[in-house]
Each structure stands twice: as structure tokens, then as C-alpha cells.
Amino acid sequence: MYKFMENANGQAEHVANGGEVRETATSLILMRNIWKTYQMGVEQLHALRDVSFEVTKGEYLAIIGPSGSGKSTLMNLIGCLDSPTKGDYWINGQLVSDMSDDELARIRNKEIGFVFQTFNLLARATALHNVELPLIYAGMRAAERHDKAQAALESVELGDRVLHKPNELSGGQRQRVAIARALVNHPSILLADEPTGALDTKTSQEIMGLFEKLHEEGNTIIVVTHEQEVAERAHRVITIRDGQIESDERVR
């Protein structure tokens, strides 16, 4: 099992034997001994087995693994879309692993910005309105949310496309709208699930370049992918296999 301990700089470091994941001053995510088990008739399927790791503020992390490895299950737990069978999960010092559905919904809206492979945009809404949606759910006044959505679209270089609908945008532009929507609430974590899966090579490189720019601006980014080229753009790569962390490496 892969575990971590603090190094001289106060950051979490992997240790092969002994030690444990400890919360540091810059901890944003802390997962400790996480299991996710599904009951399949009389059998139990362990999608995640005793997973422990920490993510500090400002990191750019990729989680990679083959189909069936458990990476999607882990993404759902990170995004508070599901709860672990056992183990503890903290976001920003809040223990979310024992929260109710309503409490998890609040955490999702406040702490996590989601970017999906298929964009998940409203077809009849403009780019501006799509980006405004999280702010509407948060109860923000119209004038304020309009300004924030406009600024978010400008941050992903779509300031001149705010009134375009998804069918009037390219695949890369639609993904930029989705990224702006994820950023508009200033979440603690930008969580991207296969963000280049529906894009061609050139557009994929542009989107990954945008993630790098957003990371340089101080955003914490977690990308879940099966593509090695996408994972290598991150600064740290966790490889999942058979529901366990196979490796955790800093690549930059």
C-alpha cells in the first residue's frame, strides 16, 4: 500500500512502509484508507482498496489507469458524487466522507468545478448563460453573475463568443465554455474527467495548454484520464490499477 509522510518542506511524501498520510498546512484533499465496495449478489467487488493520498493547494495532478482500474470511482469520490464504503476524506479541513447528500451538494457547488468529456452544456442556452448556471444555483443576483460569467469566459479567451450557443461553437470552444463554468465560482479544485476525450489532437493540446495556464495562475487541477500524453502534462501522476495506487510520481 502506498502511504505518505511529511518532508522537510512540510509537504506529503510517499513512504513504502510505515508512516501515514498526515494533514499539512497546505492540504486541500486528504484521503486516508479509502475503500469503495459494491455488493454484487453474494459477492463483493472492491473498486478501491485502502487508498491514501494528499493533494496540496496549487498542485496539478493527473490520475491515470486502464479501464476498470478504479480511477472513475476515485474521481466520483473526489468530486463528492459518491461516498466511500469506509475510510476518511477531507476537503479543506472538512470531513466529507460522512456528510449527508445535501451537505455533499453544498460542497460540490462551493469547492469543486467539474469539467466533463462531453461538455454537458445546455443546447439552447448561450455560452454566457451556461457559465452563469452555478451562480444561479448559488442565489447570486443577475447583474453580479453576468459580470462574473463574462470574466470567466474572457479568462478562457472566449470573450467574443458569449452570446453563441453550443452548436455555433467548435468542440474546443465548447470545452472552454465548460472550463469557464467550472471556474466561475472560484472553486478550490478544478476536476476534469477525460477533458480531451472528445477532441482532436490539435484541440486537445490547446485545452491542455489552457490547464497549464490556469495552474500557473494558482488553480488546483486534477485530471482523470487514460491517456499518457495528457497525464504527462501534469506535475504529478498517480497511477491506479486494480483499485490501488500503483505509483505516485512527481514528473515536474
Side-chain angles (χ1 to χ4, degrees), residues 32 39 70 73 85 90 102 110-111 119 141 162-163 220 230 237:
R32 182 180 292 155
Q39 194 70 39
T73 300
T85 305
W90 287 267
D102 287 345
K110 178 183 178 184
E111 302 283 2
F119 319 133
R141 291 180 301 176
V162 295
L163 298 181
T220 303
V230 171
V237 178

Side-chain angles (χ1 to χ4, degrees), residues 155-218:
S155 75
V156 297
E157 301 173 358
L158 283 183
D160 59 345
R161 296 286 191 273
V162 295
L163 298 181
H164 287 61
K165 294 180 180 179
N167 65 356
E168 300 170 325
L169 300 171
S170 68
Q173 288 172 333
R174 277 177 275 173
Q175 191 61 292
R176 287 174 183 265
V177 173
I179 293 170
R181 180 184 59 194
L183 290 170
V184 73
N185 251 350
H186 301 289
S188 300
I189 305 158
L190 184 63
L191 180 59
D193 179 23
E194 302 283 4
T196 62
L199 305 175
D200 60 41
T201 301
K202 180 177 181 295
T203 307
S204 295
Q205 291 173 348
E206 292 173 357
I207 293 299
M208 295 314 298
L210 176 58
F211 279 133
E212 184 66 33
K213 171 178 172 285
L214 294 171
H215 173 249
E216 290 172 355
E217 292 172 354

